[in-house]
Amino acid sequence: MIARQFFKVVSLSLLLCGTGLGSAMAPMAHATRPAPVPALIQPEMPLQATLPNGLRVVIVPDRLAPVVSTQVNYLAGSAAAPAGFPGTAHALEHMMFRGSHGLDRDQLAAIGARLGGSYNADTTENVTQFFYTAPAENLDVLLHIEALRMNGLTLAAEDWTHERGAIEQEVSRDMSSPGYVYLARLQSILFAGTPYEHDALGSRASFDRTDTAMLRRFYRNWYAPNNAILVITGAVDPTSTLELVRTTFAGIPARRLPPRPEIHPGPVHAQTLHFPTDYPIGLVAIASRMPGQNSHDYAAARILSDVLSSQRGALYDLVPQGHALLASFDFITKADAGIGIAIAAFPKDGAPAPLQARMQNILHTLRENGVPADLVDAAKRKELAQLGFAANSISGLAESWSEAQAVMGLQSPDDEASAFAAVTPEDVNRLARQVLDPQQSITAILTPRDAGHPTTDKGFGGSESFASTPDHAVSLPQWASDSLLALRPPEPSPQPASFTLPNGLRLIVRPASVSHTISLYGTIRQNEDMQEPPGKEGIADITDELFHYGSTSHDRIGLQKAFDDIAATESAGADFSLSVLTPDFARGLDLLAENELHPALPEPAFKVVRANTAASLSGLLHSPGYLFSHAMQAAISPSGDPSLRQPDPKRVMKLTLADCRAFWASAYRPDLTTIVITGDITPDAAYRAISRTFGAWHATGPTPVVDLPSRPDSHMSETHVPDPSSTQASVSLPESLGLMVANPEHFALSLGNEILGSGFSSRLYRDLRVRTGYVYTVRSNLTWRRNRSAYSISFGADPDRIAAAREAALRDIRAMQTQPVNEDELTMARAGMLRGLALQSASLDTIAASYLHFSDLGLPLNQNDIAAQAYYTLDANAIRDAFRKWIRPADLAEIVKGPETTP
């Protein structure tokens, strides 16, 4: 239900950092951190070389799947932009997808669609990165693309005119985020007078004054092989891959590089900022300047950040004490400097001053008395252990090596690990005294304001990625067609081991020997809309949150310390997980089972969580984001539908611990539980371990009904959700579907949706962004549950472009219903879908998520093989017929969240 989404999805990091241009404010977040333990490193050693033209190459084998990731890191970003034009690097990043000599934009789009992988880019202050993930057999194609872009970007004026409109939509989107506005203002204060003063996004005004001559100068200055690092990870042979790189890039000449910008921030003077937001809660943020990633103090800064954000730390302790709804410490890293933010949340109608005073006192105490040495040790263990998980994702491994070399200036992630290992409590305390100085901190109060009430039956207004969908047949270059045009029949993929314990618990095991780590993911099929007793709405969320408060054997602090001692990451509740090094799996599993099967559910914690839940709901139920999502659900569901149930803060405060224990007893049961284990373990060993720890768990009472009933077709309606904080509108056009996921016809609809709007090489993307500039992003989505499904189109646009964008989208749907898609579109979609299915094996996290998803939907674990065979055989007529039968353009509702407009 609502509060569970609040606690588990709306994290502080997402509130502040999930602004759309992820790494324009900070480098990509990495789930992996290096360690100097040889046993944790992938078996095959990396190969590093520098070509005669200066291109540095890193090749890191990873045999997890027949997949490869390439990441080209240009050592220039927004800090190198001309004065007054902070978005130049970002603009050039976009134009790198608009074609080059020997590969025009339509060919690039067609190749991207056929590859079926993920391709994207990001811009930071110091580095601009371009990355592809694709089947390993297509590595030659990826390298050809990057070589052509490095040596001969087209930069046509007409292309820039179109792309500028899309970038300005991106600016509008991010400026609609209070978190982005806050971070941009904070950055301008902490780094005033330096190239870091402006983030990498850029401004609409500067883009209006940017021309292709300026972009060409930036390109010629910085996009050279001797200013780039190419990282390749995956199922590759290092020696032959290096020879392929030499052949592909050797002819690109080195160029003389301009002087690099220097970052020397001046003194910071304390001040307090105030921002209105559309968040459901208020936030107090106390920010300080931190060392950058190329600083000798970076390792100490990372450890200090971990200590301050520890759930055993004083800052987080504000939550169980009932003084804050959420609390954490975020470290936004950059090459030459960073930003540390202590942040905590207060209720929508609460006063921030008491919370601010407590936070200041905590930071003062830590600065004066030092941080706990045992938390420093725990942070070091966790940072070091995380390297073991790098090989579990081929693209994540590329990110880890790119960060080490391109951002931090290291030879490998192991160098960072050595720095972590050398950190002492004295280093951390010295840094704390420096960066936690209240005279140099910037405090911000982010206060919620009402969105107003949604209005219905009223019209409204007249991961970044790049591509364009050609509207004509495209002839691929010979080097691409040889690799991509031949599409082989799909082969069955290796299947996991699957067991059902006597108590009904399902266990799925996918062994992998790429690292000495084991990850466990579990879920209990629950639906609070169906399972919460009438008048007890909110009890599922409270119960779920109470798993943070320990077990019957360990209190909250003791349990967290036990996990810290083995550098394990754990969560418990309706969804639970464990990530741990192989030697510590048994201990970690014991602790997880203890937490999951024997939660303490203590009375004092219950009262705190109940109060926090009610306070959070008071703001959440009136926030634009919630009203938007609730309006979407209401538009496709009948009146009185269980999915429309809402908790009431006053009734939440009347819930009792007995209600909580009753819900736990009825809803947490093994016969509704699925566990997936991946990594360094055999199926038999996993079965024995789960039998030992979860085998005695037994369900009581009848099995609850957790699936929502089927629903009738929805009909057109219009709703506007006012959002004064937004300058750009978010639009959803949803409808219910009568097609269920168990019906094989859904494959035809999914394949057609790939052509219409599922990807960035799609008709919707072409017609709403590339040709017209109505929107920045647009997607069409199919969502499936056991008894329900839905279809929707979503986009972000300036308010005066909504009507035109909607009409263009409806024309594209009708075209799908009236005439078969052309053969080129079908070939690209089929190739993309088939290769995309294969790429899901490139990450153990993705593999586990797929198995859990299939289990939740009641589908076989080889569902991807079934889908692949369907996509390979479906024809254009089947797609047209599916859209004609199941999609109803006239019934699409319209829900708009955005600024008020005048008639």
Side-chain angles (χ1 to χ4, degrees), residues 828-840:
M828 285 196 294
R830 181 181 288 137
M833 295 289 274
L834 289 174
R835 289 189 172 99
L837 288 173
L839 291 175
Q840 291 185 20

Side-chain angles (χ1 to χ4, degrees), residues 23 71 96 114 242 278 327 339 382 433 437 572 577 616 631 636 651 655 685 693 696 780 814 836 880:
S23 56
Q71 191 154 13
M96 287 281 279
R114 283 181 169 89
L242 179 58
D278 58 0
I339 303 174
K382 186 160 291 188
R433 288 191 295 271
D437 183 358
S577 64
S616 300
I636 62 174
R651 286 203 301 267
L655 296 173
T693 50
S780 56
R814 295 187 185 106
R880 179 202 58 197

Side-chain angles (χ1 to χ4, degrees), residues 99 191 662:
F191 306 116

Side-chain angles (χ1 to χ4, degrees), residues 547 550-551 559 563 570 572 590-599:
F547 281 87
S551 68
L559 186 61
F563 283 114
E570 181 261 5
D590 285 342
L591 292 169
L592 170 66
E594 174 189 312
N595 193 186
E596 188 70 22
L597 305 185
H598 306 286

Side-chain angles (χ1 to χ4, degrees), residues 20 74 83 170 183 220 251 454 550 557 589 603 698 779 795 891 895:
Y74 290 97
E170 182 182 0
L183 286 175
R220 288 175 176 169
I557 297 293
L589 184 60
E603 178 81 37
H698 294 292
R779 290 186 67 85
F795 57 85
D891 283 340
I895 300 94

Side-chain angles (χ1 to χ4, degrees), residues 156-171:
E158 180 183 359
D159 287 337
W160 169 237
T161 298
H162 284 287
E163 197 61 34
R164 175 167 52 202
I167 295 176
E168 290 178 347
Q169 288 293 312
E170 182 182 0
V171 172

